[in-house]
Each structure stands twice: as structure tokens, then as C-alpha cells.
Amino acid sequence: MRVLCAFPEAMPSSNSRPPSCLAPVALFLALLLHLFLSSQAGDRRPLPVDRAPGLKEKTLILLDVSTKNPIRTVNENFLSLQLDPSIIHDGWLDFLSSKRLVTLARGLSPAFLRFGGKRTDFLQFQNLRNPAKSRGGPGPDYYLKNYEDEPNNYRTMHGRAVNGSQLGKDYIQLKSLLQPIRIYSRASLYGPNIGRPRKNVIALLDGFMKVAGSTVDAVTWQHCYIDGRVVKVMDFLKTRLLDTLSDQIRKIQKVVNTYTPGKKIWLEGVVTTSAGGTNNLSDSYAAGFLWLNTLGMLAHQGIDVVIRHSFFDHGYNHLVDQNFNPLPDYWLSLLYKRLIGPKVLAVHVAGLQRKPRPGRVIRDKLRIYAHCTNHHNHNYVRGSITLFIINLHRSRKKIKLAGTLRDKLVHQYLLQPYGQEGLKSKSVQLNGQPLVMVDDGTLPELKPRPLRAGRTLVIPPVTMGFYVVKNVNALACRYR
């Protein structure tokens, strides 16, 4: 409400004010008094305040971790590697003796090494001492060759299909052929290595588990996130894409637990993009968001092993390029190996905002996982906890450690792109220092940035980082 009243230019005193203005002024003052008294009596909602354009609500995230018991324990070789036999066909086998390549591989130990892939048709598996051949029947080479990858795609690749029951019978036959051979008698058998669990693939897995669920040591499948022909850099930041894996895990677990509850499950082949990957994208810093989230999600949901395709190979999905230079996903994997142990811990988060919005504080774009710190890392005592955090927001996020983590010393390992390419960069920096090999036989020292006790963690926009919370003395992490 506005009260307009004209006053003469010269007014020596208030007594000379025209009487015609006194009435509306008195009425306005009375109205203000009435509004003030009524607000004191009941309605205490604050009046809206105009904010400066672009000013965002500040959020402080409170983070705690359950330290008494782990929610999962995965394999010591959880992060493992694959080599495609195409390196033989393409004449690359001699390079496996490269001192530089061996140094890079050693950095990711311990790990399983899977030797397989889609380009294996030219291989022949032979064992001259195989007794099955002398009896006229097919030997292990027949089964090893014909059931290598994604049996659900046999119709497309070979013009014939196989159902789950027949596949299960063949696995049983393969196991019976291997057991009498001394070199294979204690060998483990993994399968069926299906593709994405669509309806027909789930039907195949169901038939396989019903017949041969107890025959295999672990159930395996493969996952590819994106069609490499249409990928864009922003695709790697989409939470919907990151979450496609979680639904697949549940589908696989449902079938496996129906027939063999508790059977180990392996993701035996994961790539970010299909068709060999996309240059400057699937080998860039941006692809690391998918890879690190894959590691966190699989361990949290109880998958025992994940095999990365590929350590060194053709295309752009690998960890090491053809010039033997480590790519961003390699450095991410190296940090994971050095800092993350097999025990998975439950994370609890809560948020505080100036403007309360219950349930709207933590978004899927901020992903936090917690493990016991790797007990092989002698820089940290047992009982320490390692967090790894993915911030897909375009703004920084502040995290305050609470509960058992309150006022503990923290070591930060913040991984960011290095160079002018930004998210498309093939080089990374750790706490502001570029990561490069010292020489062919020496990896760089992974130096943390110490943060004082009680300091708020500030996660820069669109970054990934590891945070070791020292000396927590977590019960879940004190013993193997």
C-alpha cells in the first residue's frame, strides 16, 4: 500500500501540515499496527525476501559410516583385467614383454587375468594328452572354443541358437572332461557369460542355472553402457545411464539365487562404449565417472569380481593406449587398488539447508561409497576408512564428516583432468600435480593432500576423489 500526500514546498513545522493529510497517514499507521499484532499472535511465516540473481541455496552434507560390520565383502582380486587374444592375431604379443607394460600391469595386482573376447574364433585349444580325443568324442577344445562369449548372440554370429538347458549340459560335460586331466583337475569353471539381461537372455540364464548352476564356480555376464557410434561427452554424466547397471545386477541375482543361493557372481567384461569405443571420449577423463561408479555399485550390491575389458588392446576402451601410456581410467584403477579394501561399509548421509527441503538434499549426482582401507597399504593403520566420491554437479559440494568420522585426519586424493581439453583430456592430475610415469620401470608416487581434523570436505564440480579417514579404529576394518 502506498499513501500519497502532497506537501507545500515550504513547511516550517509539523503544525502547519494540512489537515487533509493527517487522516490517511493515521489510517496507514493503524493498518501497519494491526498487521504486526496479528503476525505476533499467529502467523509467524517469514515474509519473502528478494535474493540476488544467481544466488544458490547452500547445502552442507553430513556424512557418517557404519563401522561395526561390513555390509559386503568382495574378492581380494575384485578389480581384474582382460586381454583379448587379438593381440596375438595382430602381432602384438611380443610387446607384452615390454618393461613399461609390465610395470603398469604390476601396479594393478593382485588381479585375475582373463584371456578372451569376441575375436577368439581363430584360436584352437589343443591338449595332445586329452584322453577324450582317443575315444572319438570332442575334447575340451571344442567346448572352450564354442562357448567363449555371449551365447545369447550365437544365432547372430553363427546362424544357430543354443538354449540354456543345452548350454548347461555342455558345461557339465566340459567339467567331466577336465577333471581326469591333472593340469585341469582343480581348474575353476565360470559361465555362462551372457550379455545384457533382456527377456530372452534371462530365459537362457534360467535354463542354464537349473541344469548347471552347481557346476560353475561363479556366474558371469557382460555389460556395455553406450553405443560407441553415438556417444557424446555429456552422456557420461547422466545418472540414468549410471543406474542401468543396478537394474541388471538385480535381474541376474534374482535368477541365480532361485537355484543356487549365495553363488558368486562376476561381471566378466565391462566396457563404457561398444564398437571398440570412441576416440577422445571412452579413453578420456569423462569416462572415469562410469568406471568408478561401476566399481562402487558392483561392490555395494555384492558382485564378487569385475573384469575390465581391456587392459591393453585395440580401440579406445582400454586402460593403456598403444603407445603404452596410461589413460585416465588406469590412474583411477591404480588409486582404487592402492586405497580400497574388499570390505564394503554402509554410508549414511543427511543434509542441512537454509531453506528446509526434507528429502531433497542428496541427489543422485553426488555418489558416495565407503570401504575399509586396503590393509596392504602400509601408509595407513588397520581400522582406517576410505571414501570415494563422484560429484556430477556443476557446483562444488561441501561434506562434513560426522559420528565416528568426526574430527579425524583425512588424506585427500582428488583426481581432475589435466590440460586444455577438460573432460575430454587423456591426462589427469592428482591434487594439482600431473600423473606421469617416472620411467619405464617406475610409477609415480601417489601423494595425498593432508586435511586438518574436522575440516569440511569440498568436492569441486564434475570431479572424482578418494578420501582416507585415518585412525577411525573401525571394528569392521581391524581384522581380515
Side-chain angles (χ1 to χ4, degrees):
M1 173 183 287
R2 290 190 301 168
V3 177
L4 300 179
C5 184
F7 293 97
E9 291 184 10
M11 189 167 295
S13 68
S14 60
N15 293 332
S16 61
R17 183 173 296 157
S20 59
C21 278
L22 293 178
V25 169
L27 179 61
F28 176 67
L29 292 174
L31 180 58
L32 284 178
L33 180 62
H34 172 74
L35 291 173
F36 175 76
L37 292 175
S38 63
S39 67
Q40 293 292 314
D43 187 5
R44 296 180 180 271
R45 290 176 297 175
L47 294 175
V49 178
D50 292 334
R51 297 184 179 273
L55 182 63
K56 296 183 178 180
E57 296 285 353
K58 292 185 177 181
T59 303
L60 177 65
I61 297 162
L62 299 181
L63 170 64
D64 192 14
V65 172
S66 296
T67 59
K68 188 175 181 180
N69 295 300
I71 58 172
R72 302 278 190 274
T73 301
V74 297
N75 199 295
E76 288 276 354
N77 298 347
F78 173 73
L79 197 172
S80 289
L81 305 170
Q82 174 172 313
L83 279 176
D84 196 297
S86 61
I87 61 173
I88 302 174
H89 188 271
D90 297 340
W92 287 88
L93 187 62
D94 290 343
F95 288 101
L96 293 181
S97 61
S98 161
K99 182 178 180 181
R100 187 179 181 90
L101 205 58
V102 170
T103 299
L104 291 168
R106 186 179 291 118
L108 300 183
S109 64
F112 295 113
L113 179 62
R114 179 177 187 256
F115 197 66
K118 292 185 177 180
R119 299 177 65 192
T120 57
D121 287 346
F122 68 92
L123 290 179
Q124 296 294 328
F125 297 89
Q126 295 183 356
N127 187 332
L128 298 179
R129 292 176 295 177
N130 179 8
K133 287 191 172 183
S134 63
R135 296 194 299 266
D141 60 295
Y142 171 83
Y143 298 98
L144 289 169
K145 176 177 170 60
N146 286 284
Y147 289 140
E148 177 63 35
D149 268 316
E150 298 187 43
N152 47 283
N153 287 335
Y154 284 173
R155 182 181 294 277
T156 302
M157 295 187 295
H158 305 294
R160 61 186 180 87
V162 59
N163 60 46
S165 297
Q166 181 59 51
L167 185 63
K169 293 175 183 177
D170 286 341
Y171 266 74
I172 294 173
Q173 177 69 9
L174 174 59
K175 186 121 183 177
S176 67
L177 290 171
L178 292 173
Q179 284 179 340
I181 305 172
R182 183 172 58 85
I183 194 173
Y184 295 137
S185 60
R186 296 184 180 181
S188 298
L189 187 61
Y190 305 97
N193 209 26
I194 57 174
R196 182 176 298 179
R198 298 185 178 95
K199 185 176 180 180
N200 64 314
V201 181
I202 288 296
L204 187 149
L205 178 62
D206 187 90
F208 175 85
M209 293 301 300
K210 187 175 183 179
V211 172
S214 59
T215 301
V216 292
D217 294 272
V219 178
T220 61
W221 99 101
Q222 298 192 27
H223 178 64
C224 177
Y225 278 100
I226 317 175
D227 185 340
R229 295 167 295 183
V230 297
V231 65
K232 302 183 293 294
V233 66
M234 296 309 296
D235 290 337
F236 296 106
L237 308 182
K238 293 179 179 178
T239 57
R240 184 181 301 176
L241 178 65
L242 270 63
D243 289 337
T244 56
L245 180 60
S246 181
D247 183 56
Q248 291 195 21
I249 294 171
R250 287 191 292 268
K251 289 179 179 179
I252 298 290
Q253 288 175 330
K254 182 178 179 180
V255 176
V256 171
N257 290 330
T258 298
Y259 297 101
T260 54
K263 173 73 70 175
K264 300 294 184 183
I265 302 175
W266 289 17
L267 179 54
E268 198 174 74
V270 57
V271 293
T272 53
T273 55
S274 64
T278 305
N279 190 23
N280 296 324
L281 287 178
S282 47
D283 52 359
S284 69
Y285 176 86
F289 295 113
L290 279 177
W291 178 225
L292 187 57
N293 185 72
T294 296
L295 294 172
M297 184 175 288
L298 289 171
H300 188 266
Q301 293 188 235
I303 301 304
D304 195 49
V305 171
V306 53
I307 297 180
R308 171 62 188 253
H309 183 190
S310 174
F311 172 64
F312 168 78
D313 196 5
H314 69 289
Y316 306 101
N317 281 317
H318 40 243
L319 301 180
V320 179
D321 69 18
Q322 293 186 359
N323 295 316
F324 306 147
N325 293 316
L327 293 164
D329 276 8
Y330 175 85
W331 298 115
L332 197 60
S333 301
L334 183 63
L335 281 166
Y336 189 96
K337 280 286 190 179
R338 295 279 180 88
L339 301 174
I340 302 297
K343 293 183 178 180
V344 187
L345 305 175
V347 174
H348 306 286
V349 291
L352 299 176
Q353 288 182 314
R354 288 183 179 178
K355 184 178 180 181
R357 298 175 67 189
R360 301 285 293 177
V361 178
I362 307 301
R363 304 293 206 283
D364 288 341
K365 288 189 174 183
L366 185 67
R367 299 185 175 224
I368 305 172
Y369 299 97
H371 285 238
C372 295
T373 303
N374 189 344
H375 57 263
H376 295 298
N377 191 324
H378 300 301
N379 294 321
Y380 303 106
V381 300
R382 293 198 179 189
S384 299
I385 289 173
T386 301
L387 311 168
F388 55 102
I389 302 173
I390 303 169
N391 182 15
L392 299 174
H393 288 276
R394 296 186 177 275
S395 59
R396 66 179 187 174
K397 295 300 171 187
K398 295 183 177 181
I399 298 176
K400 188 73 173 177
L401 300 183
T404 54
L405 309 185
R406 184 187 294 114
D407 298 331
K408 301 296 183 183
L409 293 172
V410 176
H411 276 183
Q412 171 186 278
Y413 297 82
L414 181 63
L415 203 64
Q416 295 175 288
Y418 179 72
Q420 300 298 320
E421 297 87 355
L423 293 178
K424 291 186 178 182
S425 177
K426 295 181 183 180
S427 301
V428 294
Q429 55 184 324
L430 179 65
N431 296 325
Q433 298 298 317
L435 285 177
V436 292
M437 293 187 71
V438 177
D439 54 50
D440 287 351
T442 311
L443 292 169
E445 183 181 357
L446 303 178
K447 295 181 179 179
R449 179 189 175 193
L451 305 179
R452 71 175 185 271
R455 177 173 174 175
T456 298
L457 306 183
V458 179
I459 317 299
V462 199
T463 55
M464 300 167 278
F466 296 80
Y467 298 83
V468 180
V469 188
K470 300 180 65 179
N471 305 321
V472 178
N473 198 27
L475 182 62
C477 306
R478 286 188 295 188
Y479 308 101
R480 293 181 116 181

